[in-house]
Amino acid sequence: MSGRQRTLFQTWGSSFSRSAGAPACNSGPERPQSPGISRARCPPAVEVAEVPPESDDDVLLVAVYEAERQLSLENGGFCTSAGALWIYPTNCPVRDYQLHIARTSLFCNTLVCLPTGLGKTFIAAVVMYNFYRWFPSGKVVFMAPTKPLVTQQIEACYRVMGIPQSHMAEMTGSTQALTRKEIWRSKRVLFLTPQVMVNDLSRGACPAAEIKCLVIDEAHKALGNYAYCQVVRELVKYTDHFRILALSATPGSDIKAVQQVITNLRIGQIELRSEDSPDILPYSHERRVEKLVVPLGEELVAIQKAYIQVLEAFASSLIQRNVLMRRDIPNLTKYQIILARDQFRKNPSPNIVGIQQGIIEGEFAICISLYHGYELLQQMGMRSLYFFLCGIMDGTKGMTRAKNELSRNEDFMKLYNHLECMFAHTRGTSASGSSIQKGDKDKNFVYSHPKLKKLEEVVVEHFKSWNTQNASEKKCGETRVMIFSSFRDSVQEIAEMLLKHQPVIRVMTFVGHASGKSMKGFTQKEQLEVVKQFRSGGYNTLVSTCVGEEGLDIGEVDLIICFDAQKSPIRLIQRMGRTGRKRQGRIVVILAEGREERTYNQSQCNKRSIYKAISGNRQVLHFYQGSPRMVPDGINPELHKMFITCGVYEPEKPSRNLQRKSSIFSYKNGEK
């Protein structure tokens, strides 16, 4: 029976239906019972147990069938016997804030904002388990934005509450539609990405009315028409009788974004904790945040001046036509030019018609691309800029007009040729996707940005001081470092720089699944395998794009280095969450002097204003007032603490192709 119990009627239904003509239950999905809870928890089963043996079997079966049917209709399928209690596990140390948040989340649609590493998944598992018990015929759904996160969460929830694996299933886009339909029919606790959920709702494969609890991980993504928003909009077409639990390390990038999340996910209240909240201080370790501001240096400033001349050549045309109002060309941003283009499209001048309109659109497109390159130069360095410009000039980005216009600009070609002399050899190596030869790491590395030298100093000093401390205190503990950069070309460059410090520094890159010209992507199984090897000590330094920021359990990291700054505080908060889980952590943010430093300061200001608005004055935000109670009137489940004994989780076999297909930076003892 795959671990599922059958009700008495399901056991006898087929024979009864042949003899008495009553509808049989064995043709439908079996109703699994929660572990440790017998059928006696529901009144119909108790009545069956007490019926005298001499009672007529046919009458008994009709009574059971009717009782079960009524149970599914009354109170939305809530089992009053099971619902007398809500279970909280004691197999993990009881933390008051987790207990409080779990209780709140059972009775109201809640957005839980906890710093990474303080138990959002634990709270979700507790809530899911109780809805699994309370609604024996209902479905519980956990959504996460990526496949690796989905895989991680199904195991984490099992280890907390021990919901039988036979009752749970993971679904991805690669699961065939017919198979998914069968899984929806036969399983009770589903883990999947929101895109899969949207597809199954639109096809009618998902039994929407049976969903009783919906958990949404990385809930700050629920903006605009993101799949999370589509799922909630579709579900409420069928039923509004389901609980929503939203999880995130931070509620949003600004107050407007937080309000969008609240509205889109029907949030009735927020449970917000910061690193300084009194009730989590006993469970969190100190995280020292250091801001290192690095001057651009003479070489980079010279390149920047040459690049500004190119920007002026193309932006001045838009300024002269009065479609670009800001005239401070060196301080313009890509975003400001995009806004100017949108404004031009909405309200074009009556003097600009026909072919002129197309010319201006083309000039906007070139300027947007050039300003993206300008940001790369300031944040990442000359090599990242060169790789970006190569994509335009070799035609791979499909920007034929931009290529032709830039080729005719003498200042641009002079700058491009200069960068080519410096970095053409690095592009050839990385684009090939082949492994670097042993001798390659001995070649002179070109520091394309002063931040790279500072990063190298910080990492080398960290390992040096750690090893010295271990030698003096006779400890054998390993330390791990994680470096974040937003662009793959920069990730590759950082890893190349650290290669020369083998075997002290064993570096590995970690990127998303899409493959680009400069480096191959990781399949999602390979991502999980890299994380596993990093946790086990195969590598001690991980250089990651944003794929390493969200949710994945990277393990204990002692040093986090952020190689760039983002306007949204979400990114930094999630990066910070990678450290300080079991011991003190250190976060170093390396910033270029000027615009990047100002961006970081603004981000920190935004974060403080959000927390102040939520905790200080609740009138700023408008919460959803229609959260369903889910528990029938007159029933108030009492807390019951219980030690949950979990079996051994059986994961899928890991990918065997990691060494063959993943990044070139998987070295041990100087060899690949």
Side-chain angles (χ1 to χ4, degrees), residues 109-113 218-224 229 246 248-272 568-570 573 605-624:
N109 291 352
T110 305
L111 172 59
V112 176
C113 297
E218 306 295 346
H220 58 271
K221 291 179 174 288
L223 304 172
C229 311
S248 183
T250 177
S253 56
D254 53 39
I255 292 297
K256 186 178 178 182
V258 177
Q259 183 60 63
Q260 271 197 64
V261 171
I262 289 171
T263 303
N264 292 337
L265 300 185
R266 297 182 155 214
I267 298 299
Q269 64 182 37
I270 293 182
E271 286 288 347
L272 177 71
S568 169
I570 295 172
I573 289 170
C605 183
N606 289 347
K607 175 188 169 185
R608 287 190 292 269
S609 66
I610 293 167
Y611 280 69
K612 186 176 180 181
I614 294 173
S615 56
N617 181 10
R618 297 185 68 84
Q619 298 301 315
V620 173
L621 298 169
H622 303 284
F623 291 91
Y624 179 66

Side-chain angles (χ1 to χ4, degrees), residues 74-90:
E74 292 176 4
N75 299 324
F78 185 86
C79 178
T80 54
S81 178
L85 302 173
W86 73 274
I87 306 296
Y88 190 86
T90 58

Side-chain angles (χ1 to χ4, degrees), residues 401-416:
R401 176 174 174 177
K403 175 185 174 182
N404 294 336
E405 292 283 346
L406 290 170
S407 298
R408 290 196 289 267
N409 185 286
E410 187 178 340
D411 291 332
F412 174 81
M413 291 308 299
K414 185 178 178 181
L415 174 62
Y416 182 70

Side-chain angles (χ1 to χ4, degrees), residues 291-328:
K291 181 175 76 170
L292 302 180
V293 180
V294 181
L296 293 180
E298 291 182 8
E299 188 176 21
L300 194 61
V301 168
I303 296 291
Q304 184 177 349
K305 285 180 179 177
Y307 197 79
I308 288 172
Q309 286 184 313
V310 178
L311 292 176
E312 286 174 344
F314 290 93
S316 59
S317 174
L318 294 174
I319 292 171
Q320 288 168 9
R321 295 174 189 271
N322 291 320
V323 292
L324 186 59
M325 297 302 139
R326 286 202 55 174
R327 299 172 185 273
D328 187 9

Side-chain angles (χ1 to χ4, degrees), residues 8 16 55 57 83 90 164 226 235 241 275 313 333 364 367 378 431 440 445 450 477 481 531 538 564-565 567 577:
L8 187 59
F16 173 70
S55 296
D57 285 348
T90 58
Y226 187 76
L235 277 179
H241 194 250
E275 292 87 349
T333 65
F364 267 123
C367 281
Q378 292 177 307
D440 287 351
F445 178 81
V481 174
V531 169
D564 56 6
K567 281 188 177 178

